């Protein structure tokens, strides 16, 4: 049994909105700087370059000859979780201890790269290949931070390898399909916050109670590993007339069954134990309905409606089938209730052909949250998001196009957080606060017709 994170799924869950509020849940939207310039409006109906197959494989039929497209989007998040912790315990009697627990800039910047290739075999068949990332995260607070009990470090890196093929049925209808091969590696840890030492070494606390409290910075749970799984996608395009096009695409869910090992004081009691286990999770299916309208010779309008089946992300349960169980002796452990709901995204954008060399783009989008207020946590502080995007394309040579884009994303509306955690059966720890923040994205894309 390979060393795979029992809670890579939990890590994935954390990735979407602590370090990147630019997509709901733990989805990445940043597959191309070309689309970024119009807030990804109309993507399932667009055929700018080889990157178009990432959203809708049917769009390959619109690409002539052989094409390459590669680039990256740099993500600069500014995410704060503000609030405090209330600690109640029989040790304190009726008193409740309050501790400030705000965390600022919990996520660092990250680069999301991409690569695409398309090859037109004949007038009807075209195939392509994508290598990009649909999930990614890196968040960290100090291991003795007041909220470290809820998680102090989370990291995930994923790569999706995606071969696609498209068939042109006639001048109006094209269809396409592809295979999703998803590789991911991740890590997560939770540690003892500093204020535990204040309780542990308080002379008024009974010695038998103090002995049960771990030192600040002690690892409570630590997990890391990798996994690979598969899915599929399909799409179609209807060319109503030369000026108007509709695209529809569907990406299946990807089922992961993560097997590996669990460690940390809450699982191994500080002993040198090898605890085998696995955690099943389904990455949600998603779909897009998009339109492209060539309003005039110079101006085109694009629009999209996206749906993601986040309701499949209900809870995380780890199972321990091996002979070595956690110190509690359980066969399974409810890691966390998530209770996500399906979310919708709405986008509208435009492209203006300024002259032969330059095309200008802009777009707006509303990305609704996948988290109900009652279930938002410090590690998934999701909220509705507003997108404001601009971009440009430069025809550098007859075969080379360079696209530039920038986007500002703002959390919209309130995002209250109320989360509770048990501390070794001795105290109940409650976090109360809210999440605020924004994200800047900047990207560049190079597309070449071979």
């Amino acid at each position: 049994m390979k060393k795979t994170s029992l809670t890579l799924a939990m890590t994935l869950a954390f990735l979407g909105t602590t370090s990147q509020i630019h997509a709901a849940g733990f989805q990445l939207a940043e597959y191309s700087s070309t689309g970024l310039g119009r807030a990804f409006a109309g993507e399932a109906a667009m055929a700018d370059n080889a990157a178009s197959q990432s959203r809708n494989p049917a769009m390959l039929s619109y690409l002539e000859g052989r094409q390459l497209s590669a680039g990256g989007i740099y993500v600069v998040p500014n995410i704060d979780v503000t609030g405090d912790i209330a600690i109640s315990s029989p040790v304190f009697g009726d008193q409740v201890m309050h501790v400030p627990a705000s965390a600022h800039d919990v996520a660092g910047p990250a680069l999301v790269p991409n690569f695409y290739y398309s090859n037109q075999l004949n007038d009807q068949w075209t195939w392509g290949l994508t290598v990009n990332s649909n999930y990614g995260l890196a968040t960290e607070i100090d291991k003795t931070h007041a909220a470290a009990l809820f998680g102090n470090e989370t990291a995930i890196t994923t790569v999706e390898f995606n071969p696609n093929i498209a068939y042109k049925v006639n001048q109006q209808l094209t269809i396409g399909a592809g295979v999703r091969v998803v590789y991911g590696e991740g890590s997560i840890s939770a540690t003892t916050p500093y204020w535990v030492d204040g309780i542990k070494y308080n002379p008024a606390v009974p010695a038998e109670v103090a002995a049960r409290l771990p030192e600040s910075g002690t690892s409570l749970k630590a997990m890391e590993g990798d996994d690979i799984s598969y899915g599929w996608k399909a799409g179609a395009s209807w060319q109503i007339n030369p000026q108007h096009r509709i695209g529809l695409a569907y990406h299946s869910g990807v089922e992961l069954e993560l097997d590996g090992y669990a460690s940390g004081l809450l699982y191994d009691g500080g002993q040198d134990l090898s605890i085998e286990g696995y955690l099943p999770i389904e990455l949600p299916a998603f779909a897009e309905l998009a339109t492209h309208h060539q309003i005039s010779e110079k101006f085109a309008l694009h629009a999209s409606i996206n749906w993601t089946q986040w309701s499949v992300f209900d809870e995380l349960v780890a199972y321990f089938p091996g002979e070595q169980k956690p110190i509690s002796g359980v066969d399974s452990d409810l890691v966390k209730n998530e209770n996500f709901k399906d979310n919708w995204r709405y986008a509208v954008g435009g492209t203006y052909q300024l002259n032969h060399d330059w095309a200008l783009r802009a777009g707006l989008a509303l990305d609704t949250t996948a988290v109900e207020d009652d279930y938002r946590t410090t590690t998934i502080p999701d909220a509705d998001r507003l997108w404001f995007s601009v971009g440009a394309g430069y025809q550098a040579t007859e075969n080379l196009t360079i696209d530039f884009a920038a986007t500002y994303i703002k959390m919209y509306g309130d995002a209250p957080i109320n989360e509770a955690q048990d501390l070794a059966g001795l105290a109940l720890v409650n976090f109360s606060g809210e999440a605020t923040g924004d994200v800047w994205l900047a990207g560049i894309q190079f597309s070449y017709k071979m």
Side-chain angles (χ1 to χ4, degrees):
M1 192 176 289
K2 63 181 181 296
K3 186 178 181 182
T4 303
S5 172
L6 279 176
T7 55
L8 178 56
M10 184 191 292
T11 304
L12 288 169
F14 299 162
L15 72 87
T17 49
T18 302
S19 68
Q20 49 220 48
I21 58 171
H22 45 287
F26 46 85
Q27 241 176 343
L28 278 172
E30 291 68 43
Y31 81 97
S32 159
S33 296
T34 311
L36 180 66
R38 52 178 174 260
F40 298 108
E43 289 310 289
M46 299 301 297
D48 303 293
N49 49 51
S52 302
Q53 64 185 299
S54 181
R55 285 291 181 93
N56 187 353
M59 302 315 297
L60 280 166
S61 291
Y62 289 82
L63 304 178
E64 297 179 351
R66 294 182 298 152
Q67 299 190 26
L68 287 173
S69 186
I73 297 175
Y74 193 62
V75 183
V76 184
N78 175 31
I79 310 300
D80 299 331
V81 177
T82 58
D84 60 16
I85 282 174
I87 308 157
S88 56
S89 171
V91 175
F92 306 145
D94 295 332
Q95 291 185 328
V96 177
M97 187 170 99
H98 292 272
V99 179
S102 297
H104 301 283
D105 294 328
V106 298
L111 177 67
V112 183
N114 61 73
F115 172 84
Y116 307 95
Y117 172 75
S118 67
N119 188 336
Q120 182 185 31
L121 301 177
N122 52 47
D123 290 341
Q124 290 183 303
W125 292 96
T126 306
W127 73 275
L129 175 68
T130 80
V131 182
N132 60 9
S133 177
N134 283 298
Y135 311 98
L137 164 72
T139 63
E140 185 176 5
I141 59 176
D142 190 84
K143 65 180 181 179
T144 60
H145 186 276
L149 182 67
F150 297 92
N152 76 298
E153 185 269 336
T154 311
I156 179 70
T157 302
T158 69
V159 177
E160 181 163 337
F161 176 81
N162 179 212
N164 302 292
I165 193 162
Y167 178 70
K168 188 174 184 179
V169 179
N170 52 44
Q171 293 301 313
Q172 289 75 43
L173 179 64
T174 64
I175 56 176
V179 177
R180 303 181 65 194
V181 183
V182 181
Y183 169 82
E185 60 180 19
S187 62
I188 184 172
S189 65
T191 53
T192 309
Y194 76 89
W195 49 260
V196 172
D197 282 351
I199 301 173
K200 183 179 180 67
Y201 296 109
N202 187 331
V205 175
E208 61 273 17
V209 173
R212 294 173 56 188
L213 293 172
E215 300 276 352
S216 63
T218 298
S219 174
L220 301 175
K221 288 185 178 181
M223 308 164 190
E224 61 180 333
D226 58 10
D227 193 31
I228 190 169
S229 192
Y230 308 90
W232 58 274
K233 67 181 185 180
S237 174
W238 179 29
Q239 190 73 48
I240 303 172
N241 56 44
Q243 288 76 40
H244 303 283
R245 182 167 61 240
I246 297 175
L248 178 65
Y250 176 83
H251 296 233
S252 77
V254 176
E255 296 184 0
L256 298 171
E257 189 168 282
L258 307 170
D259 61 300
Y261 298 88
S263 63
L265 188 66
L266 298 182
Y267 281 143
D268 60 28
Q271 305 173 59
D272 185 16
L273 301 179
S274 179
I275 304 171
E276 297 179 357
Y278 70 92
L279 186 149
I281 183 176
E282 181 178 357
L283 306 183
F286 56 96
E288 178 178 352
L289 176 64
T291 62
H292 165 75
H293 308 279
Q294 193 68 46
I295 304 301
S296 68
E297 182 180 352
K298 288 183 174 292
F299 179 70
L301 183 67
H302 328 285
S304 287
I305 299 176
N306 298 74
W307 163 85
T308 302
Q309 193 183 13
W310 280 116
S311 56
V312 302
F313 196 61
D314 184 43
E315 63 180 13
L316 297 172
V317 181
Y319 297 90
F320 308 103
E323 293 184 6
Q324 181 62 63
K325 306 293 184 183
I327 56 173
S328 60
V330 299
D331 292 317
S332 64
D333 178 30
L334 176 60
V335 179
K336 181 171 285 192
N337 282 309
E338 300 296 350
N339 297 298
F340 273 30
K341 62 179 181 178
D342 294 353
N343 95 293
W344 294 85
R345 184 182 191 273
Y346 311 91
V348 61
T351 301
Y352 182 76
Q353 193 67 44
L354 184 63
N355 53 42
H356 178 271
D357 294 332
W358 286 95
L360 306 180
R361 304 183 181 98
L364 300 171
L366 169 64
D367 199 359
T368 62
T369 181
V371 178
E372 299 278 6
D373 283 351
D374 291 343
Y375 300 106
R376 187 176 290 107
T377 66
T378 56
T379 46
I380 314 181
D382 199 16
D384 294 340
R385 292 157 300 280
L386 290 173
W387 290 55
F388 305 91
S389 299
V390 294
Y394 174 61
Q395 192 72 44
T397 69
E398 181 179 355
N399 295 326
L400 176 64
T401 301
I402 306 174
D403 294 309
F404 311 89
T407 291
Y408 175 72
I409 304 172
K410 179 64 177 176
M411 272 182 155
Y412 174 72
D414 296 329
I417 301 173
N418 291 283
E419 188 175 8
Q421 185 74 265
D422 177 76
L423 177 61
L426 298 174
L428 181 64
V429 183
N430 289 275
F431 178 90
S432 179
E434 64 176 346
T436 59
D438 52 32
V439 175
W440 283 96
L441 309 175
I444 188 170
Q445 196 80 19
F446 298 90
S447 299
Y448 186 76
K449 297 180 179 180
M450 304 172 68

